[in-house]
Amino acid sequence: MPVTDEAIEKIKAMIVSGELGPGARLPREADLAERLGLSRNSLREAVKALSLIRVLDVRQGDGTYVTSLDPNLLLDAMTFVVDFHRDDTVLEFLEVRRILEPAATAMAALAMTDEQIDGLRAVLAELDPNPGVEDLVANDLEFHRRVAVGSGNTVLCSLIEGLSGPTTRARIWRGLTQEGAVARTIEQHTAICDAIAARQPELARAWATIHVAGVEQWLRSALGEPTP
Protein backbone atom coordinates (compact mmCIF):
# COMPACT_ATOMS: atom_id res chain seq x y z
CA MET A 1 0.00 0.00 0.00
CA PRO A 2 1.41 3.45 -0.90
CA VAL A 3 2.50 5.33 2.23
CA THR A 4 -0.05 8.12 1.73
CA ASP A 5 -2.88 5.58 1.42
CA GLU A 6 -1.63 3.87 4.57
CA ALA A 7 -1.67 7.20 6.38
CA ILE A 8 -5.22 7.90 5.19
CA GLU A 9 -6.36 4.47 6.40
CA LYS A 10 -4.82 5.00 9.83
CA ILE A 11 -6.47 8.40 10.30
CA LYS A 12 -9.74 6.96 9.02
CA ALA A 13 -9.50 4.14 11.58
CA MET A 14 -9.12 6.68 14.38
CA ILE A 15 -12.28 8.46 13.21
CA VAL A 16 -14.34 5.30 12.61
CA SER A 17 -13.39 3.89 16.03
CA GLY A 18 -14.57 7.08 17.70
CA GLU A 19 -11.14 8.01 18.98
CA LEU A 20 -11.46 11.17 16.91
CA GLY A 21 -15.06 12.38 16.77
CA PRO A 22 -16.69 15.20 14.81
CA GLY A 23 -15.06 18.49 15.75
CA ALA A 24 -12.06 16.83 17.45
CA ARG A 25 -8.61 18.33 17.00
CA LEU A 26 -5.87 16.07 15.69
CA PRO A 27 -2.68 15.75 17.78
CA ARG A 28 0.36 17.74 16.72
CA GLU A 29 1.79 16.54 13.41
CA ALA A 30 5.04 15.27 14.90
CA ASP A 31 3.26 13.42 17.72
CA LEU A 32 0.67 11.84 15.43
CA ALA A 33 3.27 10.78 12.87
CA GLU A 34 5.36 9.09 15.56
CA ARG A 35 2.33 7.41 17.10
CA LEU A 36 1.10 6.03 13.77
CA GLY A 37 4.56 5.05 12.58
CA LEU A 38 4.42 7.39 9.60
CA SER A 39 6.71 9.97 8.10
CA ARG A 40 5.59 13.55 8.60
CA ASN A 41 5.48 13.98 4.83
CA SER A 42 3.10 11.04 4.27
CA LEU A 43 0.92 12.25 7.16
CA ARG A 44 0.85 15.73 5.63
CA GLU A 45 -0.26 14.32 2.26
CA ALA A 46 -2.96 12.23 3.93
CA VAL A 47 -4.30 15.27 5.80
CA LYS A 48 -4.35 17.23 2.53
CA ALA A 49 -6.31 14.45 0.79
CA LEU A 50 -8.81 14.10 3.64
CA SER A 51 -9.34 17.87 3.74
CA LEU A 52 -10.20 17.84 0.02
CA ILE A 53 -13.05 15.40 0.67
CA ARG A 54 -14.18 17.42 3.69
CA VAL A 55 -13.27 14.86 6.35
CA LEU A 56 -10.64 17.13 7.89
CA ASP A 57 -10.53 20.91 8.24
CA VAL A 58 -7.06 22.47 8.23
CA ARG A 59 -7.14 25.81 10.05
CA GLN A 60 -3.99 27.80 9.43
CA GLY A 61 -2.30 28.71 12.69
CA ASP A 62 -4.84 26.75 14.74
CA GLY A 63 -4.55 23.07 13.86
CA THR A 64 -6.39 20.32 12.02
CA TYR A 65 -9.87 19.25 13.04
CA VAL A 66 -12.31 16.53 12.10
CA THR A 67 -15.27 18.18 10.36
CA SER A 68 -18.88 17.70 11.45
CA LEU A 69 -18.95 14.65 9.10
CA ASP A 70 -22.40 15.82 8.08
CA PRO A 71 -23.66 13.84 5.04
CA ASN A 72 -24.18 17.02 3.00
CA LEU A 73 -20.57 17.97 3.61
CA LEU A 74 -19.11 14.56 2.79
CA LEU A 75 -21.24 14.12 -0.32
CA ASP A 76 -19.82 17.34 -1.75
CA ALA A 77 -16.97 15.15 -2.93
CA MET A 78 -19.41 13.01 -4.91
CA THR A 79 -20.82 16.12 -6.56
CA PHE A 80 -17.29 17.12 -7.54
CA VAL A 81 -16.74 13.74 -9.20
CA VAL A 82 -20.16 13.84 -10.89
CA ASP A 83 -19.22 17.16 -12.49
CA PHE A 84 -16.64 15.27 -14.57
CA HIS A 85 -19.20 12.96 -16.16
CA ARG A 86 -19.11 12.30 -19.89
CA ASP A 87 -22.16 12.67 -22.10
CA ASP A 88 -22.25 8.92 -22.66
CA THR A 89 -22.90 8.35 -18.93
CA VAL A 90 -26.04 10.50 -18.75
CA LEU A 91 -28.27 7.43 -19.19
CA GLU A 92 -26.58 5.84 -16.19
CA PHE A 93 -27.30 8.92 -14.09
CA LEU A 94 -30.94 8.78 -15.18
CA GLU A 95 -31.10 5.10 -14.23
CA VAL A 96 -29.89 5.97 -10.72
CA ARG A 97 -32.39 8.83 -10.51
CA ARG A 98 -35.14 6.38 -11.49
CA ILE A 99 -34.17 4.24 -8.50
CA LEU A 100 -33.74 7.01 -5.92
CA GLU A 101 -36.32 9.69 -6.73
CA PRO A 102 -39.44 7.51 -6.50
CA ALA A 103 -38.29 6.34 -3.07
CA ALA A 104 -37.71 9.94 -1.95
CA THR A 105 -41.09 10.98 -3.33
CA ALA A 106 -42.87 8.19 -1.44
CA MET A 107 -41.09 9.24 1.75
CA ALA A 108 -42.05 12.88 1.11
CA ALA A 109 -45.72 11.90 0.95
CA LEU A 110 -45.42 10.83 4.59
CA ALA A 111 -42.85 13.31 5.89
CA MET A 112 -43.53 16.67 4.25
CA THR A 113 -45.22 19.26 6.42
CA ASP A 114 -48.29 21.12 5.20
CA GLU A 115 -46.10 24.23 4.86
CA GLN A 116 -43.63 22.34 2.66
CA ILE A 117 -46.47 21.08 0.48
CA ASP A 118 -47.78 24.63 0.15
CA GLY A 119 -44.29 25.63 -0.93
CA LEU A 120 -44.24 22.85 -3.51
CA ARG A 121 -47.55 24.06 -4.93
CA ALA A 122 -46.17 27.60 -5.01
CA VAL A 123 -43.27 26.38 -7.17
CA LEU A 124 -45.76 24.90 -9.64
CA ALA A 125 -47.82 28.11 -9.61
CA GLU A 126 -44.75 30.21 -10.44
CA LEU A 127 -44.46 28.60 -13.87
CA ASP A 128 -46.00 30.37 -16.84
CA PRO A 129 -48.60 28.23 -18.68
CA ASN A 130 -46.37 28.38 -21.76
CA PRO A 131 -42.89 28.52 -20.26
CA GLY A 132 -39.60 28.67 -22.11
CA VAL A 133 -37.48 25.55 -21.85
CA GLU A 134 -34.92 27.17 -19.54
CA ASP A 135 -37.65 28.37 -17.17
CA LEU A 136 -39.21 24.92 -17.21
CA VAL A 137 -35.92 23.18 -16.38
CA ALA A 138 -35.15 25.66 -13.57
CA ASN A 139 -38.62 25.06 -12.15
CA ASP A 140 -38.14 21.30 -12.57
CA LEU A 141 -34.87 21.37 -10.62
CA GLU A 142 -36.45 23.37 -7.78
CA PHE A 143 -39.50 21.09 -7.69
CA HIS A 144 -37.38 17.96 -7.37
CA ARG A 145 -35.08 19.61 -4.83
CA ARG A 146 -38.04 20.40 -2.59
CA VAL A 147 -39.40 16.87 -2.88
CA ALA A 148 -35.97 15.45 -1.98
CA VAL A 149 -35.70 17.75 1.03
CA GLY A 150 -39.24 16.75 1.98
CA SER A 151 -38.19 13.10 2.23
CA GLY A 152 -36.54 14.02 5.53
CA ASN A 153 -33.43 11.99 4.65
CA THR A 154 -30.41 14.26 4.25
CA VAL A 155 -28.25 11.55 2.66
CA LEU A 156 -30.88 10.71 0.05
CA CYS A 157 -31.43 14.41 -0.61
CA SER A 158 -27.72 15.03 -1.17
CA LEU A 159 -27.44 12.08 -3.53
CA ILE A 160 -30.39 13.25 -5.63
CA GLU A 161 -29.14 16.83 -5.77
CA GLY A 162 -25.73 15.58 -6.85
CA LEU A 163 -27.31 13.63 -9.70
CA SER A 164 -29.42 16.52 -10.97
CA GLY A 165 -26.66 18.41 -12.75
CA PRO A 166 -25.62 15.76 -15.31
CA THR A 167 -29.21 15.29 -16.48
CA THR A 168 -30.02 18.98 -16.94
CA ARG A 169 -28.84 19.08 -20.55
CA ALA A 170 -30.97 16.04 -21.36
CA ARG A 171 -34.02 17.78 -19.91
CA ILE A 172 -33.35 20.90 -21.99
CA TRP A 173 -32.79 18.82 -25.11
CA ARG A 174 -36.04 16.95 -24.55
CA GLY A 175 -37.97 20.18 -23.97
CA LEU A 176 -36.66 21.59 -27.23
CA THR A 177 -37.24 18.55 -29.40
CA GLN A 178 -40.03 16.35 -28.05
CA GLU A 179 -43.55 17.44 -28.85
CA GLY A 180 -45.69 17.85 -25.73
CA ALA A 181 -42.71 17.55 -23.33
CA VAL A 182 -43.49 20.83 -21.56
CA ALA A 183 -47.17 20.03 -20.99
CA ARG A 184 -46.28 16.49 -19.91
CA THR A 185 -43.77 17.73 -17.36
CA ILE A 186 -46.27 20.17 -15.84
CA GLU A 187 -48.95 17.48 -15.73
CA GLN A 188 -46.68 14.97 -14.03
CA HIS A 189 -45.36 17.48 -11.50
CA THR A 190 -48.94 18.34 -10.59
CA ALA A 191 -49.81 14.66 -10.19
CA ILE A 192 -46.78 14.10 -7.96
CA CYS A 193 -47.70 17.11 -5.82
CA ASP A 194 -51.32 15.98 -5.54
CA ALA A 195 -50.26 12.48 -4.45
CA ILE A 196 -47.92 13.93 -1.81
CA ALA A 197 -50.66 16.28 -0.56
CA ALA A 198 -53.08 13.34 -0.37
CA ARG A 199 -50.50 11.39 1.69
CA GLN A 200 -50.49 8.53 -0.80
CA PRO A 201 -46.86 7.34 -0.92
CA GLU A 202 -47.31 4.56 -3.46
CA LEU A 203 -49.18 6.82 -5.86
CA ALA A 204 -46.46 9.44 -5.43
CA ARG A 205 -43.82 6.78 -6.07
CA ALA A 206 -45.60 5.65 -9.25
CA TRP A 207 -45.89 9.16 -10.68
CA ALA A 208 -42.24 9.90 -9.89
CA THR A 209 -41.20 6.69 -11.64
CA ILE A 210 -43.24 7.61 -14.71
CA HIS A 211 -41.77 11.10 -14.70
CA VAL A 212 -38.08 10.15 -14.52
CA ALA A 213 -38.51 7.08 -16.73
CA GLY A 214 -40.09 9.28 -19.41
CA VAL A 215 -36.93 11.37 -19.74
CA GLU A 216 -34.79 8.24 -19.68
CA GLN A 217 -36.86 6.48 -22.35
CA TRP A 218 -36.86 9.55 -24.58
CA LEU A 219 -33.07 9.86 -24.33
CA ARG A 220 -32.59 6.16 -25.11
CA SER A 221 -34.70 6.55 -28.25
CA ALA A 222 -32.89 9.76 -29.25
CA LEU A 223 -29.51 8.05 -28.87
CA GLY A 224 -30.66 4.83 -30.51
CA GLU A 225 -30.00 2.87 -27.33
CA PRO A 226 -31.98 -0.34 -26.66
CA THR A 227 -34.46 -0.38 -23.82
CA PRO A 228 -33.11 -2.54 -20.96
Side-chain angles (χ1 to χ4, degrees):
M1 181 184 295
V3 290
T4 301
D5 289 351
E6 180 186 357
I8 290 172
E9 286 299 318
K10 288 185 175 181
I11 296 172
K12 175 185 168 184
M14 293 176 72
I15 296 172
V16 171
S17 70
E19 184 177 352
L20 289 173
R25 182 176 179 173
L26 269 64
R28 289 176 56 249
E29 183 182 271
D31 296 338
L32 186 58
E34 181 179 0
R35 176 181 165 186
L36 297 178
L38 301 166
S39 70
R40 293 180 67 171
N41 186 58
S42 62
L43 177 60
R44 202 171 294 128
E45 290 300 315
V47 168
K48 189 184 299 182
L50 289 169
S51 67
L52 285 173
I53 60 172
R54 315 294 288 276
V55 171
L56 296 179
D57 179 19
V58 180
R59 303 176 190 173
Q60 204 65 36
D62 185 16
T64 299
Y65 294 79
V66 179
T67 67
S68 65
L69 301 179
D70 182 84
N72 291 327
L73 193 66
L74 298 179
L75 286 169
D76 275 349
M78 185 202 76
T79 303
F80 180 79
V81 173
V82 164
D83 284 341
F84 286 95
H85 80 282
R86 305 182 312 274
D87 284 349
D88 60 0
T89 63
V90 173
L91 275 173
E92 294 181 5
F93 283 109
L94 282 167
E95 287 174 349
V96 177
R97 278 191 62 205
R98 176 163 46 85
I99 294 168
L100 297 181
E101 287 206 30
T105 307
M107 292 167 68
L110 298 176
M112 284 184 83
T113 65
D114 291 341
E115 290 75 18
Q116 286 176 311
I117 293 172
D118 289 342
L120 195 61
R121 288 203 184 281
V123 169
L124 294 178
E126 288 172 2
L127 198 62
D128 188 274
N130 296 297
V133 173
E134 289 189 4
D135 288 341
L136 177 71
V137 172
N139 189 270
D140 180 71
L141 289 170
E142 178 62 14
F143 178 85
H144 288 283
R145 186 193 71 79
R146 286 178 180 254
V147 172
V149 169
S151 73
N153 186 307
T154 57
V155 175
L156 185 56
C157 180
S158 295
L159 288 170
I160 290 172
E161 286 193 29
L163 293 167
S164 293
T167 61
T168 300
R169 280 176 59 189
R171 299 184 210 190
I172 293 173
W173 186 16
R174 183 196 189 202
L176 288 170
T177 61
Q178 187 182 36
E179 184 179 353
V182 172
R184 194 174 300 112
T185 297
I186 294 172
E187 177 189 359
Q188 291 170 357
H189 280 183
T190 301
I192 289 169
C193 187
D194 288 345
I196 290 173
R199 307 298 185 185
Q200 296 187 37
E202 293 312 311
L203 183 59
R205 186 197 305 273
W207 273 113
T209 302
I210 290 168
H211 182 55
V212 178
V215 180
E216 181 189 346
Q217 183 57 45
W218 168 81
L219 185 57
R220 284 189 184 280
S221 298
L223 297 175
E225 294 279 344
T227 301

